[in-house]
């Protein structure tokens, strides 16, 4: 699945992960791009500045990931900020 949107904002994802206690600042330094992107699968995780009926509530991605893992699958994320993202389901 690909889009040509804004892409994932690594620094914003990492900042929210640290704020939520998913990773410490010292551990965050050594995380790979893939490990940072995987925070979006944490229950309730959102980087939205505003919460609306359709975004910012932090639901959905963890459910999708859990279902794919139940079928022994995985999701690989590639993203380029300002250009878009690609989610490969296998």
């Amino acid at each position: 699945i690909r889009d040509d949107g804004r892409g994932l904002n690594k620094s914003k994802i990492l900042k929210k992960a640290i704020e939520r206690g998913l990773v410490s600042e010292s551990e965050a330094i050594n995380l790979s791009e893939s490990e940072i992107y995987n925070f979006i699968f944490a229950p309730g995780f959102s980087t939205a500045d505003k919460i609306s009926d359709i975004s910012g509530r932090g639901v959905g991605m963890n459910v999708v990931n859990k279902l794919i893992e139940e079928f022994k699958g995985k999701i690989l994320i590639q993203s380029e900020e300002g250009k878009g993202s690609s989610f490969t389901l296998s």
Side-chain angles (χ1 to χ4, degrees):
I1 302 167
R2 285 193 181 119
D3 70 31
D4 59 357
R6 294 182 296 200
L8 298 176
N9 184 325
K10 282 188 301 190
S11 60
K12 195 169 189 179
I13 293 169
L14 195 53
K15 180 181 175 191
K16 289 287 186 169
I18 292 168
E19 286 174 7
R20 291 196 54 210
L22 299 174
V23 66
S24 70
E25 288 188 48
S26 59
E27 294 170 326
I29 295 168
N30 297 316
L31 292 177
S32 69
E33 190 171 83
S34 177
E35 290 169 319
I36 294 169
Y37 292 152
N38 280 328
F39 286 123
I40 69 171
F41 297 123
F45 191 86
S46 177
T47 60
D49 295 323
K50 283 180 140 183
I51 296 173
S52 72
D53 288 340
I54 57 172
S55 68
R57 294 170 289 138
V59 296
M61 292 301 286
N62 66 310
V63 175
V64 170
N65 192 46
K66 183 178 177 184
L67 288 170
I68 290 173
E69 285 178 345
E70 284 178 11
F71 286 100
K72 307 292 186 237
K74 61 184 173 179
I75 302 174
L76 301 173
I77 303 170
Q78 293 182 313
S79 185
E80 188 172 346
E81 204 166 335
K83 297 201 176 187
S85 301
S86 172
F87 295 79
T88 304
L89 305 144
S90 62

